[in-house]
Amino acid sequence: MAYLFGYYAKDPNYKDGVRAVVETLYEPPQIGDQSSVVPQMDKDIPLIDRLTKDLSLECVGWIFTTLKEENVALTSYDIRKAAKLQQAYTFTHPSGCKISRFVTCVAKPNDKGECEIDTYMVSDMCQALERDHIFDELKDKKLMQVRKAKKGEILPTIYMEGKESSKFDPDFFIVNIAHGVPSNKKGQNIIQTYDFPVASRCKGIVTQNSVKDYFKKYKNTDPNIKCANLFFLMFIAKTVDEDTASTFAKQVLEKKVNWEVIETLLGTYLGY
């Protein structure tokens, strides 16, 4: 799984519509199996939050990979995880209500073996039920369940096909979200490159040679483009210091990157 970073923009296709524009993603340390994935404690989260803020980006959603399951858009685990994340990323609407625009993206194989992406949110009701600890755990990921009421406690009643039921279909809570890719193949406004080694995927992957290769590939490229990479900025933070990386992130946003300074700071590491 990964967190999606970008920004929200007006959607011209719908009245008062909002579009979540994804610019980059970050994969935290995680443990996964065929039915779920759990992010682990990550000491780099404060750094990611700082750099993305300097780049004028925010966390707009999450994406995870899964195997194809018949007749299941999201499992009960996925539904509850999405509800938790939506609750964590709420803001106050001008009407005074607390709402969320946090999206859930699923990458999975289709019948042709190709990767396809579906995008969802869960309903406000689901978000509230998860917030108030109404759901119970079930081994069957294709169903959801309301937990048993404690003494003196009143819990909401769920009706399915006109009958009261403690177990029900997760699909009741799913809201489909339209999605797509830019037709001009260059929809990103801030992050410009994606081929700097992603350190969070494998320990030691960012080597002296891999950094040199990146410098060589973009030797004659506009500094504002070759520095516009979240993982390159993370590398600067870890190699030099966080304040320097923060400064360069702000320069990326203003398109005023001083590449000579970067080369000087990284000269010892690169063997110059």
Side-chain angles (χ1 to χ4, degrees):
M1 61 84 68
Y3 296 111
L4 306 175
F5 287 89
Y7 52 89
Y8 295 103
K10 183 177 181 180
D11 192 325
N13 299 309
Y14 304 94
K15 182 181 179 181
D16 298 325
V18 176
R19 177 177 293 176
V21 181
V22 178
E23 291 262 346
T24 190
L25 54 80
Y26 173 72
E27 303 169 22
Q30 55 199 265
I31 296 176
D33 55 32
Q34 292 186 352
S35 61
S36 64
V37 60
V38 181
Q40 304 298 293
M41 290 293 294
D42 186 359
K43 61 182 177 57
D44 287 332
I45 287 295
L47 173 59
I48 290 294
D49 288 342
R50 180 178 182 181
L51 292 177
T52 52
K53 183 178 180 180
D54 290 334
L55 291 166
S56 193
L57 302 175
E58 61 181 299
C59 192
V60 298
W62 72 305
I63 185 170
F64 63 91
T65 58
T66 186
L67 301 176
K68 182 177 178 60
E69 295 190 53
E70 295 296 330
N71 303 319
V72 176
L74 295 174
T75 66
S76 57
Y77 171 86
D78 302 331
I79 293 280
R80 296 190 63 187
K81 180 67 175 178
K84 288 184 176 76
L85 287 168
Q86 284 183 204
Q87 183 62 29
Y89 288 89
T90 57
F91 72 101
T92 303
H93 188 268
S95 65
C97 299
K98 289 281 188 180
I99 66 171
S100 180
R101 299 180 295 197
F102 196 86
V103 299
T104 293
C105 298
V106 186
K108 61 183 177 182
N110 58 21
D111 293 333
K112 298 179 181 180
E114 302 167 334
C115 179
E116 64 179 23
I117 295 179
D118 294 319
T119 307
Y120 308 100
M121 290 183 70
V122 297
S123 66
D124 293 345
M125 178 183 291
C126 178
Q127 185 178 321
L129 291 171
E130 179 63 37
R131 176 198 65 200
D132 295 338
H133 310 291
I134 303 301
F135 296 130
D136 201 358
E137 296 288 346
L138 266 181
K139 290 184 178 180
D140 186 349
K141 300 293 185 180
K142 295 183 180 181
L143 290 173
M144 298 193 73
Q145 178 171 303
V146 172
R147 65 174 174 79
K148 293 182 179 180
K150 300 175 183 178
K151 185 176 180 181
E153 184 180 32
I154 299 176
L155 295 182
T157 301
I158 303 294
Y159 286 92
M160 188 165 65
E161 297 179 350
K163 298 179 181 179
E164 184 177 337
S165 176
S166 61
K167 299 179 182 180
F168 49 94
D169 193 333
D171 286 357
F172 292 158
F173 292 134
I174 295 176
V175 179
N176 287 295
I177 305 295
H179 65 282
V181 296
S183 57
N184 61 3
K185 299 182 181 180
K186 192 60 180 175
Q188 285 70 27
N189 294 317
I190 301 169
I191 303 298
Q192 301 294 325
T193 71
Y194 296 89
D195 49 358
F196 191 82
V198 180
S200 59
R201 291 184 183 176
C202 180
K203 291 183 178 179
I205 195 172
V206 182
T207 65
Q208 187 180 57
N209 286 335
S210 64
V211 177
K212 283 184 176 180
D213 289 342
Y214 183 80
F215 272 51
K216 183 178 179 180
K217 179 177 180 179
Y218 292 100
K219 182 178 180 180
N220 299 317
T221 304
D222 183 343
N224 296 298
I225 292 178
K226 54 188 173 185
C227 196
N229 181 300
L230 178 61
F231 298 104
F232 178 64
L233 293 169
M234 281 188 67
F235 170 73
I236 292 176
K238 292 177 178 292
T239 306
V240 185
D241 59 64
E242 290 188 15
D243 290 339
T244 299
S246 177
T247 297
F248 287 129
K250 294 172 183 176
Q251 289 180 356
V252 166
L253 194 61
E254 299 170 354
K255 300 189 184 307
K256 296 180 180 179
V257 172
N258 190 327
W259 188 252
E260 289 73 20
V261 173
I262 293 178
E263 286 191 307
T264 299
L265 289 171
L266 297 179
T268 301
Y269 180 86
L270 296 170
Y272 290 166

